[in-house]
Amino acid sequence: MSDRIGYNIIGELFSAAGSVTLQSLDASTGEALPFRFHQATAEEVESAAHSAEAAYPAFRSLPAVRRAEFLDAIADELDGLGDDFVAIVCRETALPTGRIQGERGRTSGQMRLFAKVLRRGDFHGTRIDRALPDRQPLPRVDLRQCRIGLGPVAVFGASNFPLAFSTAGGDTASALAAGCPVVFKAHSGHMATAAFVGEAILRAASKTGMPAGVFNMIYGSGVGEALVKHPAIQAVGFTGSLHGGRALCDMAAARPQPIPVFAEMSSINPVVLLPGALAKRGEQIARELADSVVLGCGQFCTNPGLVIGIASPDFSLFTANLIAEIGQRPAQTMLNAGTLKSYEKGLAALHAHPRIRHLAGQPQEGRQALPHLFQADAGLLIEGDELLQEEVFGPVTVLVEVADKAELIRALQGLRGQLTATLTAEPDDLQAHGDLLSLLEQKVGRVLFNGYPTGVEVCDAMVHGGPYPATSDARGTSVGTLAIDRFLRPVCYQNCPDALLPDVLKNANPLGIVRLVDGVTTREALA
């Protein structure tokens, strides 16, 4: 596979002798697994970027149905990865077998979903305004618009979803669907997993006759900066910490040619508990909320890290129930030692804050993470306290009790941008507090009613994004078919001869897609 510059075959080093060797680790024990990879050199990063750049003209020019065949083939290859592969992922991440099997299905499913988008054709954004030569006082020229892929995209693998947000995850799927070759930076926490999936993508590329260089992968620390700054790279997809995402944004903005970074970074996903709901089903809410907090050891970007309610006897009873629920939940192994260390650091900061008190959870020790519950002074939200707004990645949440609706509104106004917000309410609650929705719409990408934010459906209507610092660009999403928009740009053709136009803009409409023609949606051919 050495023709794929920057890509390592499992267990093989094809760079020069003496290069830095990277070892795959068992997340539960810290022991080395029998998979080795090498730290990419500056030359290999450059070669990978140039390889993607060389593939771009041919790949973006392929008919959408050909790219759809590629995505379907990737999905088939992913589904064909067997029990041995699942076992490796489980060892690298400490995630259970059922979770990995489900995530594999989600990953192949989103590939097939983007293949459907390509066949559907609406992603082209086709708009045609025909010439009006007799218009007075001035004639109108013929104008036709569609969208094309930006160019090579750098994608950074996420730690918490080794499949769905990683090598063949949503960023890669949407970039490839848009006609953009990918240079993928494998996450250090699951390098063997990335290698197996990378091989699956390359097999699919070969079977469907994709251009060489359509997918490239590199390993190692310190390679992200060189990748983002490389002039061949035209956009970046990232899921991770606020610190890491912001650093990439700053690098991309400082380039001679700035490029967009679509980074999903930090969210505490507030859950607002309204009085009627607590009065009717407070005990149930405490149990279900605890389930959401500890799900996957709290290692979800939509983990409910903040719970807000109005002071009342029902809220006090709910608090007691939540303390009991959190206190009895078992410890779990986190994705890797670095994630555990970060979780412990976040807990220590909460413990040290004079206006935050610890309500539940045993002292953190050993290699596993224990769930915790804290309560913070409502004034911290209203005053914009930085610590309360920082995501602690793990099974922990913070309660905030407000005095009344007016203080609730001030607290919500103090929130930074989030991926989600949840309103837990009865119909009467929504009548009395309906104005909260317009406030939350300005703060988040997804508003939930009587649910829990952990769990993101892959579909046309999903938004997994939100105002900064939840993401670097609130206009996009990293989950759902709208994700393709991030890697497309519009091109307009003025008085272009029909023979030279892309098929989506030709008079005959050979693809049979829906187009906006002179302000009217139609599939009809043009005379």
Side-chain angles (χ1 to χ4, degrees):
M1 203 64 67
S2 57
D3 59 316
R4 306 292 183 177
I5 303 299
Y7 184 84
N8 296 279
I9 305 176
I10 300 170
E12 178 178 338
L13 305 175
F14 64 80
S15 64
S19 65
V20 177
T21 300
L22 308 172
Q23 191 80 48
S24 176
L25 300 177
D26 186 304
S28 296
T29 66
E31 296 176 354
L33 296 175
F35 304 103
R36 298 182 304 153
F37 307 90
H38 82 271
Q39 167 80 32
T41 64
E43 291 77 12
E44 286 171 334
V45 173
E46 180 153 342
S47 295
H50 281 310
S51 181
E53 183 180 39
Y56 169 64
F59 185 55
R60 84 161 182 88
S61 298
L62 287 174
V65 292
R66 292 274 287 111
R67 296 204 299 273
E69 292 169 1
F70 178 32
L71 299 187
D72 280 337
I74 294 173
D76 291 341
E77 291 289 340
L78 294 175
D79 287 342
L81 295 173
D83 292 342
D84 289 347
F85 165 74
V86 173
I88 289 168
V89 185
C90 291
R91 291 193 68 185
E92 279 198 311
T93 64
L95 297 173
T97 299
R99 156 72 187 272
I100 298 305
Q101 290 171 334
E103 193 177 327
R104 177 177 55 184
R106 170 178 167 168
T107 307
S108 62
Q110 64 190 5
M111 283 287 177
R112 293 191 176 96
L113 181 60
F114 277 108
K116 290 180 181 178
V117 169
L118 292 177
R119 294 187 173 98
R120 198 167 67 206
D122 54 310
F123 77 97
H124 289 293
T126 308
R127 296 165 177 252
I128 298 174
D129 288 299
R130 289 177 288 184
L132 297 174
D134 298 326
R135 190 183 68 173
Q136 294 297 326
L138 295 172
R140 184 176 77 187
V141 295
D142 186 278
L143 295 165
R144 307 189 180 206
Q145 178 193 124
C146 65
R147 300 192 297 174
I148 67 171
L150 288 175
V153 174
V155 175
F156 289 75
S159 66
N160 57 335
F161 280 85
L163 301 178
F165 280 83
S166 194
T167 319
D171 285 346
T172 296
S174 54
L176 293 176
C180 301
V182 168
V183 181
F184 181 77
K185 162 62 174 67
H187 193 278
S188 60
H190 37 79
M191 293 185 291
T193 299
F196 275 99
V197 176
E199 290 278 11
I201 295 173
L202 292 177
R203 287 195 299 271
S206 177
K207 289 178 179 179
T208 55
M210 293 297 109
V214 71
F215 178 80
N216 310 266
M217 185 153 68
I218 56 176
Y219 295 88
S221 61
V223 298
E225 181 175 359
L227 184 58
V228 170
K229 289 182 176 180
H230 195 283
I233 298 300
Q234 296 300 301
V236 177
F238 172 85
T239 300
S241 69
L242 176 58
H243 175 77
R246 183 56 191 260
L248 295 180
C249 290
D250 291 345
M251 292 174 198
R255 288 176 29 146
Q257 176 221 356
I259 59 172
V261 175
F262 301 100
E264 187 226 298
M265 300 177 292
S266 176
S267 183
I268 55 175
N269 307 295
V271 176
V272 180
L273 306 176
L274 295 180
L278 286 180
K280 185 173 182 178
R281 47 193 168 92
E283 185 176 353
Q284 175 189 344
I285 293 169
R287 182 174 62 255
E288 293 173 345
L289 182 61
D291 288 340
S292 182
V293 170
V294 304
L295 182 65
C297 201
Q299 298 168 122
F300 292 93
C301 41
T302 53
N303 193 55
L306 184 69
V307 182
I308 310 174
I310 298 173
S312 71
D314 290 319
F315 185 79
S316 298
L317 180 58
F318 162 80
T319 300
N321 286 328
L322 187 58
I323 290 171
E325 290 288 347
I326 293 292
Q328 67 186 11
R329 301 306 168 101
Q332 300 177 67
T333 302
M334 299 196 85
L335 291 158
N336 50 61
T339 303
L340 178 60
K341 184 177 180 180
S342 178
Y343 178 58
E344 292 172 340
K345 182 179 178 181
L347 292 179
L350 290 172
H351 276 291
H353 198 294
R355 295 167 68 185
I356 297 176
R357 62 191 181 99
H358 185 246
L359 297 183
Q362 298 300 312
Q364 188 61 39
E365 60 182 7
R367 298 185 60 86
Q368 292 189 312
L370 286 155
H372 289 266
L373 176 66
F374 292 83
Q375 184 163 15
D377 186 328
L380 295 180
L381 271 184
I382 297 169
E383 297 159 14
D385 184 272
E386 289 290 326
L387 179 62
L388 195 56
Q389 306 248 16
E390 289 181 6
E391 178 185 28
V392 178
F393 194 63
V396 59
T397 195
V398 179
L399 280 176
V400 171
E401 181 181 83
V402 296
D404 50 28
K405 180 182 176 181
E407 190 170 55
L408 173 61
I409 290 174
R410 291 199 301 274
L412 293 176
Q413 288 172 335
L415 282 172
R416 301 189 302 194
Q418 309 292 333
L419 294 172
T420 74
T422 302
L423 284 172
T424 302
E426 292 296 301
D428 288 347
D429 287 323
L430 295 177
Q431 284 189 342
H433 299 83
D435 50 344
L436 295 181
L437 178 57
S438 61
L439 171 56
L440 294 177
E441 287 171 340
Q442 299 300 311
K443 296 288 184 178
V444 310
R446 177 166 55 114
V447 183
L448 294 82
F449 292 82
N450 292 315
Y452 299 94
T454 40
V456 182
E457 185 70 27
V458 183
C459 61
D460 289 323
M462 177 53 64
V463 173
H464 190 62
Y468 183 88
T471 69
S472 57
D473 190 331
R475 295 168 295 179
T477 176
S478 60
V479 178
T481 59
L482 191 65
I484 194 174
D485 284 11
R486 300 172 299 166
F487 305 120
L488 295 167
R489 67 176 180 86
V491 178
C492 182
Y493 303 80
Q494 181 171 323
N495 285 341
C496 181
D498 191 73
L500 295 181
L501 286 168
D503 283 349
V504 296
L505 296 177
K506 283 182 164 62
N507 286 335
N509 192 14
L511 301 183
I513 63 173
V514 173
R515 307 189 294 185
L516 185 67
V517 179
D518 297 332
V520 178
T521 301
T522 178
R523 292 183 187 271
E524 296 297 318
L526 307 181

